[in-house]
Amino acid sequence: MNPVEGIWSLLRRGPPANTAFTDDEHRERTLRRGLRHIQLRPDLLDGCLAGTGLTLTHHPTTIRRDQ
C-alpha cells in the first residue's frame, strides 16, 4: 500500500461520501475541501505514511563550488 491509497481512503470517508454531485465543479470543490482538511491535519498524513512502513528522511543539499 502506498500513502496515496491512504489519502484516497480518507477522502472516501469524508465529504464526498454518499454525495450525488451535480456537475464536475461540484465534485472538484468537494474533493478540494476534503484534501484541504487532510492537509491541515498532519496527524492524518503521518498515519497514511506510517501505514506503508516507509519513512521520510531529509538529506540537506550541499552546494559544491568548483575550484
Side-chain angles (χ1 to χ4, degrees):
M1 186 166 156
N2 66 50
V4 173
E5 293 177 45
I7 291 172
W8 277 115
S9 176
L10 290 171
L11 276 175
R12 284 193 304 269
R13 290 182 271 148
N18 299 317
T19 300
F21 299 110
T22 56
D23 55 27
D24 289 341
E25 289 179 17
H26 180 213
R27 182 182 64 220
E28 184 177 343
R29 281 191 316 272
T30 305
L31 289 173
R32 284 181 182 274
R33 186 173 52 244
L35 286 170
R36 195 172 318 114
H37 173 77
I38 294 169
Q39 181 183 15
L40 297 173
R41 299 275 314 272
D43 56 311
L44 294 178
L45 293 173
D46 290 344
C48 291
L49 185 61
T52 66
L54 300 172
T55 59
L56 290 178
T57 56
H58 176 69
H59 298 287
T61 303
T62 304
I63 298 174
R64 300 177 77 181
R65 296 181 185 205
D66 293 333
Q67 294 181 359

